[in-house]
Amino acid sequence: MRTLSKSLSFISLPALALAMTLSTGTALAHDAAAGAAGDKSVTASERPRDDLAGKLTRRVIQRAPSSIPGREIVQVETEIPAGVESGWHVHPGEEVGYIIAGEVEMKVEGRPTVILRAGDGFLIPPRTPHNARDIGPETGRMLSTYIVETGQPLASFVGQHVDKASQ
């Protein structure tokens, strides 16, 4: 494991690849079983709201129940145009992320601000306020896997957040 600072750990690429492979296999098996059983997936209108959906381009790659009761695994590719930020928000579970392209300034409450580049991974604990801003010049792309509470919004804005780490 590579560490950029004492408070922000980064996953090695092989470890992240293994985690992604395991979650992909689980989701594919679930999707195949659901399809064979004639199961109708939850439609977008039935899913809880996602506050970031209107601010960033996000594509849900897969969604499947977790082996952890009351949790689901959601994998999302997010595009952040140069100069755009996500806004301070939280997730109802862990976020395991990987920067595919671009440079992203990541602020996580209680941690120093870091610049993440293509190939860097990051971890954000449940319900921890954070903000990602693409610093350009290209559009930032990240792949995030969330292990979140079933039935909760994937992301919710945190109102009037004060960035304590940069004060």
Side-chain angles (χ1 to χ4, degrees), residues 16-160:
L16 183 61
L18 175 61
M20 297 300 190
T21 300
L22 292 174
S23 72
T24 300
T26 301
L28 291 175
H30 173 264
D31 289 348
D39 183 37
K40 300 295 180 199
S41 296
V42 176
T43 65
S45 63
E46 293 171 322
R47 288 195 181 121
R49 80 174 192 291
D50 176 352
D51 283 346
L52 298 184
K55 194 161 186 149
L56 309 170
T57 303
R58 300 176 80 201
R59 180 175 67 94
V60 174
I61 296 170
Q62 57 187 335
R63 178 184 298 261
S66 170
S67 62
I68 303 166
R71 298 279 176 160
E72 66 178 332
I73 300 169
V74 184
Q75 195 168 51
V76 176
E77 179 183 18
T78 303
E79 290 187 3
I80 308 175
V84 171
E85 64 181 74
S86 63
W88 285 92
H89 64 283
V90 296
H91 305 287
E94 291 83 357
E95 177 179 4
V96 179
Y98 177 79
I99 305 300
I100 299 169
E103 292 189 20
V104 177
E105 175 189 70
M106 183 69 73
K107 294 182 178 186
V108 178
E109 185 176 78
R111 298 179 181 173
T113 299
V114 295
I115 304 299
L116 302 172
R117 294 174 177 80
D120 289 337
F122 59 93
L123 298 169
I124 300 176
R127 302 193 188 287
T128 301
H130 58 285
N131 183 38
R133 180 176 67 92
D134 183 77
I135 57 177
E138 67 181 298
T139 295
R141 289 180 44 230
M142 64 180 70
L143 178 66
S144 293
T145 301
Y146 303 92
I147 304 167
V148 293
E149 297 170 26
T150 304
Q152 295 296 309
L154 186 59
S156 300
F157 283 122
V158 179
Q160 303 299 315

